Amino acid sequence: MYTYETLLAAITVEGGREVHNPATGELIGRVPTHTAADVDAAIDRAEAAQPAWAALSDEERVGYMNKIADAIEANAEALAELLSREQGKPLNGPNARFEVGGCVAWTRVPAGTPLPVEVVVDDGETYAEMHYRPLGVVGAITPWNWPMMIAIWQIIPSLRMGNTVVSKPSEYTTLSGLALNHILNTVLPAGVLETVAGAGDLGARLVESDKIAKIMFTGSTRTGKKIIEASSGNVKRLTLELGGNDAGIVLDDVDPKAIAEGLFWGAFINTGQTCAALKRLYVPDSIYDEVVNELAAFAAQMPMGQGLDEQNVLGPLQNEMQFNVVDRLVESAKASGARVVMGGNPDRDATGYFYPTTLIADIDPANELVTEEQFGPALPIIRYSDLDEAIRMANELEVGLGGSVWSSDRDRARAVAARVQAGTVWINSHGTINPFVPFGGAKQSGYGQEFGVAGLKAVAQPQVIQG
Ligand code: NDP
């Protein structure tokens, strides 16, 4: 069992690139900078290990998955502390400890999900079965917002289905990726999970390699499009989770006080740095002021600060690039005459990338803070008087990861949900993912599904055996 100190010592590299805490600027550790040749060598090791891994029975691989879940659980506190220091997210609230708990859940559920051979036709004349075979080596490119949990989403189903994996953590959260994979590798045979770390063109090297059969990528639409282009060489399979700009539509029958907490966490989970967070909220004129006031009252009680302080539930932005995105978009909203209900006044000279919890009301629906993804703690609240018009605005962007409808009438909410163009539409919550329930985007939010049976099938080659 590791402590934070022994875990860090196991992964940090003398003379490596410095990693700093985004809340305090403190030096945390040093990480390797791998080269293209290192990536090629990692791919070769994963390729060499794959036949023996695929030759194990499903039960044997499931046994490894369950041991992985045990190992994460045994080292949960060390992992959470490292994650908090490097990513910035607080230990408490839906943050670091929650994320490590998610790693355990998203390991045990795919391990426990049966995937029997499917008999698709058996009519006396034709007999056809569907099997799911390993693809080979999977490349996993993981972002910096949920660097452990998203890595697990990519790695565990791939391993279960008989693939080996080359994992590339984000350059912003390399220690978190290295630490998680180190724990997994205390259980796995050599070569089954390789890790490459660095910045520049390692992701592109993975995508270009003909030895990689599939890429799992979570990140920006811009990079996703480059991956699509580069995948044509060997017709690579892709699962692309490219973020979004999720709309929430409040209907006029809600109790504003009752939905305030759900709205807040839908938007501000992980300090807004979540792909399927609520990023623009449409509220009817008749209850607009009450909804804004209740949300502001709830938000005002939620402490923001450095992650290791047990009382905090909101943290800094993870990096300067993201701080600048949020700052630019809020300034644009302010300049347009939108009303600042709270926040919007960061201390740009302070240590740490803290951006205060920000609510912006009476904003033009065409303002950049509404139409661009802020990926941070600033929520625009748009007033509407016609529900059809709200649905039209929700659907007018080119992305469609998630969406939500808030109502005390479930049937009415479901009817509206059916008209929202998104991979998932939640009713009276937002972003509440579950390892049994498939998750994936519509439109330019990407394609392919993760989680559940669909997620296992997505990292396998379907094969029909007929006759
Ligand atoms: P990206 O989301 O674009 O991802 C960068 C990652 O992609 C790095 O690991 C990088 O590795 C790799 N990469 C870059 N180019 C290629 C390529 N051509 N082929 C394969 N891999 C490549 O960037 P950022 O992290 O900078 O975030 C930018 C924006 O993305 C944020 O502002 C936010 O809006 C959104 N985002 C969305 C997330 C989500 O959950 N959907 C998560 C994080 C960010 P390398 O440099 O080594 O090649």
Side-chain angles (χ1 to χ4, degrees):
M1 202 175 106
Y2 287 95
T3 61
Y4 166 71
E5 286 77 16
T6 58
L7 183 58
L8 182 65
I11 56 168
T12 199
V13 170
E14 213 174 305
R17 182 168 62 84
E18 292 186 355
V19 177
H20 296 266
N21 182 328
T24 62
E26 142 206 45
L27 176 67
I28 312 168
R30 292 171 183 272
V31 293
T33 305
H34 289 135
T35 63
D38 294 328
V39 176
D40 294 345
I43 295 171
D44 286 346
R45 287 193 296 273
E47 188 186 40
Q50 198 269 332
W53 180 250
L56 296 177
S57 68
D58 190 42
E59 290 70 30
E60 286 170 308
R61 285 195 298 271
V62 164
Y64 277 106
M65 314 284 95
N66 283 321
K67 282 194 190 129
I68 286 172
D70 295 342
I72 297 171
E73 258 174 346
N75 295 287
E77 199 56 22
L79 286 166
E81 183 172 342
L82 183 70
L83 176 59
S84 178
R85 285 180 191 264
E86 186 188 48
Q87 205 285 337
K89 62 181 72 189
L91 288 170
N92 292 321
N95 293 298
R97 288 180 176 130
F98 169 85
E99 176 165 355
V100 175
C103 291
V104 175
W106 264 271
T107 299
R108 292 220 192 273
V109 171
T113 300
L115 195 58
V117 174
E118 296 164 14
V119 177
V120 285
V121 181
D122 183 10
D123 62 5
E125 268 179 46
T126 304
Y127 180 82
E129 288 175 347
M130 184 70 96
H131 295 252
Y132 291 90
R133 309 294 188 199
L135 284 162
V137 183
V138 171
I141 304 176
T142 310
W144 45 264
N145 54 340
W146 295 90
M148 291 189 184
M149 192 159 70
I150 293 179
I152 284 288
W153 295 352
Q154 298 171 330
I155 293 168
I156 294 297
S158 299
L159 296 183
R160 162 81 194 277
M161 299 311 287
N163 308 290
T164 54
V165 176
V166 179
S167 158
K168 198 199 91 62
S170 166
E171 57 272 30
Y172 291 117
T173 49
T174 304
L175 283 171
S176 299
L178 290 172
L180 179 76
N181 290 357
H182 180 81
I183 297 296
L184 269 59
N185 275 327
T186 60
V187 172
L188 291 167
V192 170
L193 172 62
E194 290 287 327
T195 311
V196 292
D201 53 11
L202 301 191
R205 189 83 182 181
L206 278 177
V207 178
E208 281 157 16
S209 171
D210 284 348
K211 295 179 178 176
I212 298 278
K214 165 134 194 167
I215 292 286
M216 307 282 288
F217 174 75
T218 296
S220 68
T221 299
R222 182 178 41 80
T223 302
K225 287 181 179 177
K226 286 192 205 156
I227 292 174
I228 292 169
E229 282 173 26
S231 70
S232 68
N234 65 338
V235 193
K236 244 177 217 71
R237 275 56 178 159
L238 303 176
T239 293
L240 300 175
E241 203 275 77
L242 305 180
N245 193 344
D246 290 9
I249 303 176
V250 175
L251 304 189
D252 58 10
D253 56 34
V254 296
D255 171 357
K257 196 175 176 62
I259 63 168
E261 181 172 359
L263 288 176
F264 178 81
W265 286 117
F268 292 94
I269 182 168
N270 202 27
T271 314
Q273 303 162 104
T274 299
C275 42
L278 169 52
K279 293 182 178 139
R280 46 197 174 113
L281 182 64
Y282 295 86
V283 179
D285 213 13
S286 55
I287 52 168
Y288 187 87
D289 291 338
E290 290 148 271
V291 171
V292 170
N293 292 342
E294 291 295 348
L295 184 52
F298 187 87
Q301 305 162 31
M302 296 294 115
M304 177 184 284
Q306 77 134 306
L308 296 185
D309 185 337
E310 298 271 350
Q311 66 152 0
N312 292 326
V313 293
L314 299 164
L317 273 313
Q318 202 281 326
N319 53 67
E320 188 179 11
M321 176 269 298
Q322 202 58 48
F323 179 95
N324 290 338
V325 170
V326 176
D327 196 21
R328 172 176 62 80
L329 294 175
V330 173
E331 288 306 310
S332 151
K334 282 157 69 177
S336 75
R339 176 162 60 96
V340 179
V341 178
M342 64 187 290
N345 57 343
D347 180 351
R348 296 181 185 83
D349 300 323
T351 303
Y353 305 121
F354 287 100
Y355 198 94
T357 304
T358 298
L359 296 176
I360 303 286
D362 294 319
I363 183 167
D364 177 348
N367 184 269
E368 286 174 301
L369 179 61
V370 180
T371 59
E372 282 184 35
E373 185 185 33
Q374 68 279 53
F375 215 71
L379 180 68
I381 308 169
I382 305 106
R383 194 186 283 270
Y384 78 83
S385 52
D386 174 36
L387 180 57
D388 288 337
E389 175 62 4
I391 297 169
R392 190 197 64 73
M393 289 190 286
N395 289 336
E396 75 182 342
L397 302 183
E398 59 200 14
V399 286
L401 185 57
S404 57
V405 182
W406 302 75
S407 172
S408 54
D409 179 339
R410 190 158 172 267
D411 290 340
R412 193 170 167 229
R414 286 167 62 89
V416 175
R419 296 171 62 193
V420 175
Q421 296 166 358
T424 303
V425 186
W426 291 277
I427 294 171
N428 294 332
S429 73
H430 197 115
T432 44
I433 52 171
N434 178 306
F436 290 100
V437 181
F439 175 71
K443 303 199 279 188
Q444 292 190 29
S445 287
Y447 47 69
Q449 285 187 314
E450 298 177 270
F451 316 164
V453 175
L456 293 177
K457 290 180 178 177
V459 278
Q461 174 59 52
Q463 182 190 45
V464 173
I465 295 196
Q466 187 171 328

